[in-house]
Amino acid sequence: AEIAAVVHNIHLERKLTNSVDAVNELRRRSSLFWITCKQAISVLTVFVSGDERSEVVVLLYSRIVDRENFQEVLYSLSMLEQAFVLYRLGVDKCEGASKFS
């Protein structure tokens, strides 16, 4: 199943009242799957808040199989979200991160 659909279903099946609960549920389930950067971007569409979107990227980073494409995930974020992710992960983990400024 598409991971974004899984996240959407988390909202529905758990009847979560807010996205923070969805982030926590995603954290609980993330060890069960591997994802691509394209799928990570798809997951981000489920979340609206910048804080939550940034947290989701940090959460999913260790599950991404094609980190050479991680720049695409960063490009999908606002500048503030990018800064938060780069701070949390460390610039050295984000290949090509010097392009983001």
Side-chain angles (χ1 to χ4, degrees):
E2 179 67 31
I3 188 65
V6 170
V7 174
H8 181 70
N9 288 338
I10 289 171
H11 276 284
L12 297 177
E13 76 182 40
R14 300 288 299 232
K15 296 183 178 33
L16 300 175
T17 56
N18 60 53
S19 293
V20 173
D21 291 339
V23 171
N24 289 333
E25 188 65 19
L26 181 61
R27 179 177 286 111
R28 189 178 73 75
R29 294 185 185 195
S30 66
S31 65
L32 303 175
F33 54 80
W34 295 96
I35 63 170
T36 65
C37 286
K38 185 175 180 178
Q39 290 171 317
I41 293 167
S42 181
V43 169
L44 291 175
T45 64
V46 178
F47 297 91
V48 177
S49 165
D51 291 342
E52 292 157 1
R53 288 168 48 86
S54 301
E55 188 63 32
V56 166
V57 172
V58 171
L59 170 69
L60 294 178
Y61 180 80
S62 66
R63 309 306 298 168
I64 291 175
V65 295
D66 61 337
R67 289 194 189 147
E68 66 275 7
N69 296 322
F70 189 67
Q71 296 161 334
E72 295 173 23
V73 177
L74 291 175
Y75 283 135
S76 72
L77 302 172
S78 71
M79 288 180 67
L80 185 59
E81 292 166 343
Q82 287 178 16
F84 180 81
V85 169
L86 292 173
Y87 174 76
R88 290 282 307 275
L89 293 178
V91 175
D92 56 325
K93 286 189 179 178
C94 301
E95 189 172 315
S98 61
K99 297 177 184 176
F100 303 99
S101 53

